[in-house]
Amino acid sequence: MARRLLSIWFPRLASDISLRARPVEGPFALTLRASNAEHLHCLNSIASAAGLHRGMALADARAVCPVLSTRPADLIREGRALEGLRRWASRHGPHAAKNGSDGLIVDVSGVPHLFGGEVELLADLEARLERAGVYSKSAIAETRGGAWALARRGGGVIPEGGLLARLGPMPISALRIEVSVAEGLTRLGLHKIADLTTVARAPLARRFGAELLRRLDQALGMQAEPVAAEADAPHFGVRITLPEPIGLTADVMGVLDRLLIRLCDKLTSAQMGARAVRLELQRVDHSAAVVDVGLARAMRDPVRISPLFLKGVDEVDSGFGIDGLRLTATVTEPLAPEQIGNAETRAEDELSDLISRIGNRLGFDAVQRYLPASSRIPERSFLTVPAAYAAPEPFPPKRRPRRPITLFPAEALAQVSGSPPARFTWRRMGFTTLRAHGPERITPEWWFDDPAWRSGVRDYWRIETNEGPRLWLFRTPQSGSRDWYAQGVFL
């Protein structure tokens, strides 16, 4: 069986995907910032017809086309769209792979007869993409390079044995070579691919490198070029279709528990854990409701995940009934098998469940924890980070002076007598010192620039008062000031 390869080119993929979500009338382009300036990244057909082109500075484009509408480009979304199209293209061939950032290559050997022929296969593919709002050009040839070149120059089919006849009249740039190499060949009078076949190969290799001859041989079928089909990312999802619609929260939760067991079994077999789970409820009228749940740590325990869905499911309007459920782990992480049953593991599980419950109600950024930081400055000796996205970290085990449990901006004391203070007033209350421990001198790092520390070093004292509070006081002897300040309270 002769090898046949299908190349699909999406010259306006990014703009087509953006316009599907939010249509715009008239010229439109996505912009990308480069070299401290905005440039056109992808244009629709109207903008191209107006004389604009990819890579053009946005300021120049505005001068040529004042009515141009723009949006920032989203490269991640563009990559996801191409990956989705790659999976979809497998309907036309068993092996599909990305071909650059704007194309696909599909091995369709032995497939075209299912569509009535190669021409009919291309017509079916382009018609489906057109209905989806994605502009494309496609071509079929016996080599990857030949299909790539033809797709970008109108598309069509190159019959077996007709590579040189069809590719020969094409410009040198159709060989997937660098622009500088193509320009150098043009200056020598070599404008077409056919011109390269009449020139000695050794001088070309010495002057332009072996890559030029490799691309030529690949395009003409004299050197193999495989289609490296990428493995699909693992999908962790389960679904169920019900014989009769349901609407009660208890019924939905019962079905959900069954789905969770199946989903967690899939995660266990892959040694993965879920960090986000989505429940889709399909109504009888073909509408859907979605309930998303986040998890503070990766897990695959259906008993612990199920209660997190209760509030969201209870708020769903079941309408005329729910006849289908789909459960998907949208975000996963590697999770090795764990020893269960010990007290330490139970304590960690209870804490993560608490964070998950609060995070799903208030947002995971609202639940924070403290982590140690490498600084002598009290205000900078710790970090505040979201608890769900940072593992707990023990503070340095080395012995260090005690620190108050509560820190606040420095507050001036009044009516201070003695050093350390024997009597003083703080927050309109009078205090007398029972015990004083110190001083502890703290010097800021040389790179630390804070107006509050510009007066120099600080001498800190731990003061136990007769009235009860244990305070952290300091003064700045380097500045000659006798003012005292409170900055923390011990338990």
Side-chain angles (χ1 to χ4, degrees):
M1 183 184 299
R3 190 186 190 204
R4 304 297 286 169
L5 298 178
L6 163 66
S7 178
I8 313 173
W9 180 41
F10 304 100
R12 299 196 293 266
L13 177 61
S15 60
D16 288 342
I17 296 301
S18 180
L19 290 174
R20 283 184 61 186
R22 288 188 295 163
V24 171
E25 297 293 336
F28 170 80
L30 296 174
T31 62
L32 198 62
R33 189 166 187 83
S35 302
N36 294 326
E38 296 287 342
H39 295 79
L40 302 187
H41 173 67
C42 191
L43 305 80
N44 67 352
S45 58
I46 302 177
S48 299
L52 309 183
H53 58 84
R54 182 182 291 235
M56 188 177 188
L58 179 58
D60 297 338
R62 295 280 190 199
V64 174
C65 183
V67 296
L68 176 67
S69 300
T70 62
R71 292 176 195 156
D74 188 343
L75 299 182
I76 296 177
R77 182 182 182 186
E78 183 179 349
R80 289 175 179 169
L82 186 62
E83 174 61 23
L85 289 169
R86 184 193 71 81
R87 294 194 299 268
W88 172 83
S90 62
R91 73 182 303 275
H92 293 90
H95 303 290
K98 295 180 183 178
N99 198 9
S101 61
D102 60 353
L104 300 173
I105 187 75
V106 187
D107 190 339
V108 295
S109 303
V111 174
H113 71 278
L114 301 175
F115 295 84
E118 294 179 345
V119 175
E120 289 76 10
L121 186 151
L122 293 183
D124 175 79
L125 181 142
E126 293 184 358
R128 290 177 181 274
L129 289 173
E130 184 180 0
R131 287 196 297 270
V134 179
Y135 177 76
S136 66
K137 285 292 183 181
S138 55
I140 295 179
E142 56 190 287
T143 65
R144 182 170 182 168
W148 186 93
L150 185 60
R152 282 152 180 79
R153 282 159 182 83
V157 175
I158 300 179
E160 295 182 40
L163 281 172
L164 183 58
R166 190 68 180 270
L167 298 180
M170 291 187 182
I172 297 292
S173 58
L175 288 177
R176 299 175 293 170
I177 56 179
E178 296 181 3
V179 176
S180 58
V181 175
E183 292 176 349
L185 292 169
T186 302
R187 286 194 295 269
L188 294 179
L190 303 175
H191 301 280
K192 299 179 294 184
I193 294 178
D195 297 337
L196 295 178
T197 61
T198 61
V199 179
R201 295 168 63 91
L204 286 177
R206 284 196 301 269
R207 182 160 185 176
F208 298 101
E211 179 69 9
L212 171 63
L213 299 181
R214 186 174 74 90
R215 289 301 191 186
L216 176 64
D217 292 343
Q218 288 175 344
L220 298 180
M222 292 181 286
Q223 183 174 340
E225 186 178 8
V227 176
E230 303 168 3
D232 290 331
H235 175 71
F236 299 102
V238 292
R239 62 181 301 172
I240 188 172
T241 301
L242 304 176
E244 294 291 338
I246 60 176
L248 298 178
T249 300
D251 295 339
V252 175
M253 294 300 297
V255 178
L256 172 63
D257 290 339
R258 295 172 58 187
L259 291 178
L260 276 172
I261 294 174
R262 292 167 51 193
L263 178 64
C264 291
D265 287 343
K266 280 190 173 184
L267 292 169
T268 302
S269 62
Q271 292 194 7
M272 300 292 286
R275 285 298 301 269
V277 184
R278 169 170 293 182
L279 173 64
E280 299 178 41
L281 305 172
Q282 303 290 335
R283 301 188 183 96
V284 176
D285 60 359
H286 301 292
S287 63
V290 176
V291 180
D292 286 309
V293 163
L295 302 172
R297 56 175 294 197
M299 68 174 69
R300 47 175 180 255
D301 186 348
V303 177
R304 295 167 56 197
I305 298 175
S306 178
L308 301 176
F309 280 98
L310 182 58
K311 180 176 181 296
V313 170
D314 190 51
E315 295 175 350
V316 169
D317 180 9
S318 59
F320 295 104
I322 295 170
D323 61 357
L325 291 86
R326 175 183 295 172
L327 190 66
T328 309
T330 55
V331 180
T332 58
E333 292 180 1
L335 181 61
E338 296 178 334
Q339 179 68 38
I340 60 175
N342 58 62
E344 183 178 351
T345 302
R346 286 198 301 270
E348 292 179 358
D349 292 345
E350 291 174 359
L351 177 60
S352 62
D353 291 346
L354 175 62
I355 296 174
S356 297
R357 289 195 300 270
I358 299 175
N360 281 293
R361 289 176 177 266
L362 305 180
F364 284 96
D365 290 337
V367 185
Q368 300 185 332
R369 65 160 40 107
Y370 293 111
L371 296 181
S374 178
S375 178
R376 293 188 294 269
I377 307 301
E379 307 92 294
R380 294 164 57 90
S381 61
F382 60 91
L383 301 173
T384 305
V385 297
Y389 310 129
E393 209 176 304
F395 279 82
K398 64 182 181 180
R399 298 187 63 182
R400 56 189 299 179
R402 294 178 58 192
R403 290 290 181 266
I405 193 64
T406 302
L407 282 175
F408 45 80
E411 299 177 0
L413 305 183
Q415 301 176 5
V416 179
S417 63
S419 180
R423 293 182 178 83
F424 58 93
T425 301
W426 174 60
R427 293 184 178 177
R428 299 182 181 180
M429 294 181 291
F431 296 91
T432 57
T433 300
L434 177 63
R435 296 183 184 88
H437 304 272
E440 176 194 350
R441 177 159 291 183
I442 297 179
T443 305
E445 293 90 356
W446 62 267
W447 61 85
F448 182 58
D449 185 18
D450 188 329
W453 282 82
R454 287 177 184 170
S455 56
V457 300
R458 293 180 179 178
D459 285 345
Y460 280 86
W461 291 77
R462 299 197 308 274
I463 302 296
E464 298 182 27
T465 64
N466 289 306
E467 289 73 18
R470 297 191 296 170
L471 305 176
W472 206 35
L473 310 183
F474 75 86
R475 63 184 294 264
T476 54
Q478 189 176 13
S479 65
S481 172
R482 296 187 177 182
D483 296 335
W484 283 82
Y485 300 87
Q487 196 177 0
V489 177
F490 294 90
L491 284 180

